[in-house]
Amino acid sequence: MRTDVSERVRLAQADSGEQPWRAWGPYLAERAWGTVREDYSEHGTAWDYFPHDHARSRAYRWNEDGMAGLCDDRQTFCFALALWNGKDPILKERMFGLGGDGGNHGEDAKEYWWYQDSTPTHSWMRWRYHYPQDEFPYDQLVAVNGRRSRNEGEYELVDTGIFDEDRFWAVTVDYAKASPADTCIAITVSNRGPEPATLHVLPTLWFRNTWSWGLPNRVAPAMKGWPGRLHGVHRSLGHITLDGPDAAPALMCDNETNSQRLWGLPGRSSFPKDGINDHVIHDMPTVNPGAVGTKGALHYRLTLGPGEERTLRLRLTQSDQPLAEPDLGDGWSAVMRDRRAEADEFFAEVIPAAASAEEASVARQAVAGLMWGKQFYHFDVKRWLVGDPGNSPPPPGRRYGRNNGWWHMNSFDVISMPDPWEYPWYAAWDLAFHCVSIARVDPGFAKSQLLLLLREWYMHPNGQIPAYEWAFGDVNPPVHAWAALRVFEIDGSRDYDFLSRIMHKLLLNFTWWVNRKDVGGNNVFEGGFLGLDNVGPFDRSAALPVAGVLEQSDGTGWMAMYALNLLDMAILLALHDRAYEDMATKFFEHFTYIAEAAYRQGLWDDEDSFFYDVLRLPDGNRVPLKARSIVGLLPLAATTRLTSETLNRLPEINSRVRWMLHHQGEFGDVISARRLGGADRRQQRLLSMVGQDQLLRILARLLDPEEFLSPYGLRTLSRAHLEKPFTVSLAGSDFTVGYEPAESTSGLFGGNSNWRGPVWMPVNFLLVQALREFAEFYGEDLKAEYPTGSQRKAGLTEIADDLSRRLIGLFLPDADGRRPIYGATELFQTHPDWKDLVAFPEYFHGDNGAGLGAWHQTGWTALVIDLIFDLHGR
């Protein structure tokens, strides 16, 4: 039953609007509890206001969650998996984990699941979970982590010994689309334990609750259950049907809060949201005997012997009319077979042929993580601040608290999230990196995402791009323009309409930066933490320990890079529309002002050959904060080339370059002399915050194993600060930064992550790209000692390639078959059921490469895809 509809055709149909292949996808979050959207407390205590214990009983306001979930792009309906091993106190309907106040170093899931596969249109997807057969140790995980300090490692599920003797269920969920609204589902469970065991499998279908908030014209939909079938009717969705085998019992309840359990108050339904849970676990009469409601599950009891496996065949279909008998036989098998084969064909075409089998596997699983990380995100900030008419009004203090200045923002979109559990909300600079990797498989979606955050209902009227829901007003690094250029190039350098649209909005954002984050008007920038939690001796987003202004090397470097990105964008557009040439000259000059100011204002330390943050005091004195960190390396990313072809075709900018060189001599250091370079050996000029001398001096530190160079990429803080921490004394107090290769022991900026030594993929990626840009200009003439101290010289392309291999090597089996990301966890390193399932952690140990932070942060860690593509020439 092969069709002529390949994944490429489906993508073209989705982009053109011919067929809505993206309408259904894995857009269901894996955690909606503990989020800002669901927090109606006075003081913003999200994890306390809506804890995990409430999630099974309490209807969500803004979105839903579940395991291996599927929903439509408006989240009208939701489908997910629930499991019970016969011993747990609750159904396993969602993943469990803890926040930073629970003894972690940040939000951390205490379960193990993997995104194994997904095409861009979600025509084929695979998800894997390992579910313990013994009682899940909820209380133990809470108690032990609660006793641990920041100086101790987190207590993980594997540490409890619950997987000993392989006493777990391997659960795989496959999805294959027969059409945009007809999905075949396979739930495969395998008893990995040494004894027969029983697993309850409950594929669950429900409607998102939009009817109980007191808003006009909201009517509850209806769902009916029969043995082996759930059928729902919704006024906008139409009919939706879930069919399964073996006439399994249908258990029905309502997606309504169990107010009696939570608060001792009567609720809206006699069979609330946790009715299925209570019926299965405690055999209580908590499901509707009439088999109607807004939430339903088909209940399968599977008893399997050791090593035995069984697959449940299901089909989820939307239609105008109720369906007749579903095809769960040969037709179902053909759809599964064909979609998987088409996925294999798609990735064989996309992934470079020169990539090794292991590299190709890592790239494909990284794409899967990006695709599964797309989530339906609904958040009307004004409604959230004011409250719903059908509920008690929020505390008055909320109107003056978190996000009160973002009343205009109203999100109702599918958005790429950093992580569906740890970070189930978008973050602006994360998303920019996501889009670069997404563009390798789905440039249409990547472009739509970049444009989305610049739309009027996201971007603040003052021009600021929202950061993330915990604080939309925080400042993320301005990487949107860089990402747009990368996506434009990956997509074939032809979508000038996209480039023009995005540039118009970025002009507003650039102006916001200039007006808001350059307090002294001297072209050096502030910005606060700029995404780099714990990077400095004190919280850069909080009030300074003394009066003054913190002038930041990273803020200034980011803005120099931003100006060059907009220059490149304007040049590309000016070659098609001369009206943009004025913009090109504007951003050329703005870059030169910023780059020159970095030296004039003292950010560059000539003795140390490094850029530092500088604390400018009211009396005019400056205190350099001499911690050698990523803050001082980011100015390297502010680099681009102007070719002779460009300058000849755009005489105005050519004239302006010459004028600046002749009449503004102080800017000559950031505009190089002409030289032959690039593949065509044409004349070109380099625009950069560093000249050749500064570049080589910085590289001597960057490529030093005793400073930034680790076996797995570049550290974010020099290892020299292990023995010699940097300390500054201000207002009678000492503030210190020391090298920490793993989790942070500092609580600065919440302590959620550590930029004091670990390897972080996004900044490594930018620095590798900067080296490639320098190599295009200097060619093989410029070499650096690599590694520093080795007395071996290497060209910049060779260095960039080797750094790429180090970063890719984080995920690959080494000579002993061990993946660095899994550190000393033997189960993950050696067990055949675990060792080839690749996770994409948030960051990595600065010495041994072990994965740290959010475990499914595929978003920006998926930049490994681009490293593989660039290394192998595609």
Short mmCIF file of all heavy atoms in Angstrom, two decimals, residues 24 179 181-182 231-241 316-324:
data_model
loop_
_atom_site.label_atom_id
_atom_site.label_comp_id
_atom_site.label_asym_id
_atom_site.label_seq_id
_atom_site.Cartn_x
_atom_site.Cartn_y
_atom_site.Cartn_z
N TRP A 24 -1.74 17.85 13.21
CA TRP A 24 -1.61 16.97 14.36
C TRP A 24 -0.14 16.70 14.60
O TRP A 24 0.63 16.47 13.67
CB TRP A 24 -2.32 15.63 14.12
CG TRP A 24 -3.81 15.69 14.14
CD1 TRP A 24 -4.62 16.78 14.03
CD2 TRP A 24 -4.69 14.56 14.24
NE1 TRP A 24 -5.94 16.42 14.05
CE2 TRP A 24 -6.02 15.07 14.19
CE3 TRP A 24 -4.50 13.20 14.37
CZ2 TRP A 24 -7.14 14.24 14.27
CZ3 TRP A 24 -5.60 12.37 14.45
CH2 TRP A 24 -6.91 12.88 14.40
N SER A 179 -3.39 9.89 6.89
CA SER A 179 -3.77 11.18 6.30
C SER A 179 -3.56 12.22 7.39
O SER A 179 -3.23 11.87 8.53
CB SER A 179 -5.24 11.15 5.84
OG SER A 179 -6.11 11.17 6.95
N ALA A 181 -5.48 13.66 9.34
CA ALA A 181 -6.33 13.47 10.51
C ALA A 181 -6.70 12.00 10.71
O ALA A 181 -7.80 11.68 11.15
CB ALA A 181 -7.59 14.33 10.40
N ASP A 182 -5.79 11.13 10.36
CA ASP A 182 -6.01 9.69 10.54
C ASP A 182 -4.66 9.09 10.91
O ASP A 182 -3.77 8.98 10.06
CB ASP A 182 -6.55 9.07 9.26
CG ASP A 182 -6.82 7.56 9.40
OD1 ASP A 182 -6.63 7.01 10.50
OD2 ASP A 182 -7.20 6.95 8.39
N HIS A 231 -15.55 7.72 21.30
CA HIS A 231 -16.01 8.60 20.23
C HIS A 231 -16.43 9.93 20.83
O HIS A 231 -17.28 9.99 21.72
CB HIS A 231 -17.19 7.98 19.48
CG HIS A 231 -17.77 8.89 18.45
ND1 HIS A 231 -19.00 9.50 18.59
CD2 HIS A 231 -17.27 9.32 17.26
CE1 HIS A 231 -19.24 10.26 17.54
NE2 HIS A 231 -18.20 10.16 16.72
N GLY A 232 -15.82 11.01 20.31
CA GLY A 232 -16.13 12.35 20.81
C GLY A 232 -16.69 13.23 19.72
O GLY A 232 -16.40 13.05 18.53
N VAL A 233 -17.49 14.21 20.14
CA VAL A 233 -18.05 15.19 19.22
C VAL A 233 -17.75 16.58 19.77
O VAL A 233 -18.04 16.87 20.93
CB VAL A 233 -19.57 15.00 19.05
CG1 VAL A 233 -20.12 16.03 18.07
CG2 VAL A 233 -19.89 13.59 18.58
N HIS A 234 -17.17 17.41 18.92
CA HIS A 234 -16.80 18.77 19.32
C HIS A 234 -17.32 19.72 18.25
O HIS A 234 -17.26 19.42 17.05
CB HIS A 234 -15.29 18.88 19.46
CG HIS A 234 -14.82 20.17 20.04
ND1 HIS A 234 -14.69 21.32 19.30
CD2 HIS A 234 -14.44 20.49 21.31
CE1 HIS A 234 -14.24 22.30 20.07
NE2 HIS A 234 -14.09 21.83 21.30
N ARG A 235 -17.79 20.88 18.67
CA ARG A 235 -18.48 21.77 17.71
C ARG A 235 -17.55 22.27 16.61
O ARG A 235 -18.01 22.55 15.49
CB ARG A 235 -19.09 22.96 18.45
CG ARG A 235 -18.10 23.86 19.15
CD ARG A 235 -18.81 25.10 19.71
NE ARG A 235 -17.85 26.02 20.29
CZ ARG A 235 -18.14 27.28 20.62
NH1 ARG A 235 -19.37 27.73 20.40
NH2 ARG A 235 -17.23 28.05 21.14
N SER A 236 -16.24 22.40 16.87
CA SER A 236 -15.33 22.85 15.80
C SER A 236 -14.51 21.71 15.23
O SER A 236 -14.16 21.72 14.05
CB SER A 236 -14.39 23.93 16.33
OG SER A 236 -13.59 23.44 17.38
N LEU A 237 -14.24 20.70 16.04
CA LEU A 237 -13.42 19.58 15.59
C LEU A 237 -14.22 18.57 14.79
O LEU A 237 -13.70 17.92 13.89
CB LEU A 237 -12.78 18.89 16.81
CG LEU A 237 -11.76 17.81 16.55
CD1 LEU A 237 -10.47 18.40 16.02
CD2 LEU A 237 -11.49 17.02 17.84
N GLY A 238 -15.49 18.42 15.10
CA GLY A 238 -16.31 17.38 14.49
C GLY A 238 -16.22 16.10 15.29
O GLY A 238 -16.21 16.13 16.52
N HIS A 239 -16.13 14.97 14.62
CA HIS A 239 -16.09 13.67 15.26
C HIS A 239 -14.64 13.20 15.38
O HIS A 239 -13.87 13.29 14.43
CB HIS A 239 -16.89 12.64 14.46
CG HIS A 239 -18.36 12.95 14.37
ND1 HIS A 239 -19.28 12.42 15.23
CD2 HIS A 239 -19.04 13.76 13.52
CE1 HIS A 239 -20.48 12.87 14.92
NE2 HIS A 239 -20.37 13.69 13.87
N ILE A 240 -14.30 12.70 16.55
CA ILE A 240 -12.98 12.10 16.73
C ILE A 240 -13.16 10.75 17.41
O ILE A 240 -13.92 10.63 18.38
CB ILE A 240 -12.04 13.02 17.51
CG1 ILE A 240 -10.62 12.41 17.54
CG2 ILE A 240 -12.53 13.29 18.93
CD1 ILE A 240 -9.54 13.42 17.68
N THR A 241 -12.49 9.74 16.87
CA THR A 241 -12.70 8.36 17.32
C THR A 241 -11.37 7.69 17.58
O THR A 241 -10.45 7.78 16.75
CB THR A 241 -13.46 7.56 16.25
OG1 THR A 241 -14.67 8.25 15.91
CG2 THR A 241 -13.80 6.18 16.77
N LEU A 316 -6.59 6.60 15.56
CA LEU A 316 -7.23 7.85 15.99
C LEU A 316 -7.60 8.63 14.73
O LEU A 316 -6.73 8.98 13.93
CB LEU A 316 -6.28 8.66 16.87
CG LEU A 316 -6.81 9.97 17.44
CD1 LEU A 316 -7.94 9.71 18.44
CD2 LEU A 316 -5.69 10.74 18.13
N THR A 317 -8.90 8.92 14.59
CA THR A 317 -9.38 9.49 13.32
C THR A 317 -10.38 10.61 13.58
O THR A 317 -11.27 10.49 14.42
CB THR A 317 -10.06 8.42 12.47
OG1 THR A 317 -9.21 7.28 12.38
CG2 THR A 317 -10.35 8.93 11.08
N GLN A 318 -10.22 11.69 12.84
CA GLN A 318 -11.18 12.78 12.84
C GLN A 318 -11.98 12.71 11.55
O GLN A 318 -11.44 12.44 10.47
CB GLN A 318 -10.46 14.13 12.92
CG GLN A 318 -11.38 15.34 12.86
CD GLN A 318 -10.60 16.64 12.70
OE1 GLN A 318 -9.38 16.65 12.75
NE2 GLN A 318 -11.32 17.73 12.49
N SER A 319 -13.31 12.97 11.65
CA SER A 319 -14.15 12.87 10.46
C SER A 319 -15.38 13.75 10.64
O SER A 319 -15.68 14.21 11.74
CB SER A 319 -14.57 11.42 10.21
OG SER A 319 -15.30 10.93 11.32
N ASP A 320 -16.08 13.95 9.54
CA ASP A 320 -17.33 14.71 9.61
C ASP A 320 -18.46 13.89 10.20
O ASP A 320 -19.41 14.44 10.76
CB ASP A 320 -17.72 15.20 8.21
CG ASP A 320 -16.74 16.21 7.65
OD1 ASP A 320 -16.10 16.91 8.46
OD2 ASP A 320 -16.60 16.28 6.42
N GLN A 321 -18.38 12.57 10.05
CA GLN A 321 -19.42 11.69 10.53
C GLN A 321 -18.79 10.55 11.34
O GLN A 321 -17.60 10.24 11.18
CB GLN A 321 -20.22 11.09 9.36
CG GLN A 321 -20.94 12.12 8.50
CD GLN A 321 -22.02 12.84 9.27
OE1 GLN A 321 -22.66 12.27 10.15
NE2 GLN A 321 -22.25 14.10 8.92
N PRO A 322 -19.56 9.90 12.21
CA PRO A 322 -19.02 8.75 12.94
C PRO A 322 -18.52 7.69 11.97
O PRO A 322 -19.09 7.46 10.90
CB PRO A 322 -20.22 8.25 13.75
CG PRO A 322 -21.13 9.42 13.86
CD PRO A 322 -20.96 10.20 12.59
N LEU A 323 -17.43 7.03 12.37
CA LEU A 323 -16.81 6.04 11.50
C LEU A 323 -17.45 4.67 11.65
O LEU A 323 -18.00 4.32 12.68
CB LEU A 323 -15.32 5.92 11.83
CG LEU A 323 -14.45 7.14 11.54
CD1 LEU A 323 -13.02 6.86 11.98
CD2 LEU A 323 -14.48 7.50 10.07
N ALA A 324 -17.34 3.89 10.58
CA ALA A 324 -17.71 2.47 10.64
C ALA A 324 -16.53 1.72 11.28
O ALA A 324 -15.67 2.32 11.93
CB ALA A 324 -18.01 1.96 9.25
#
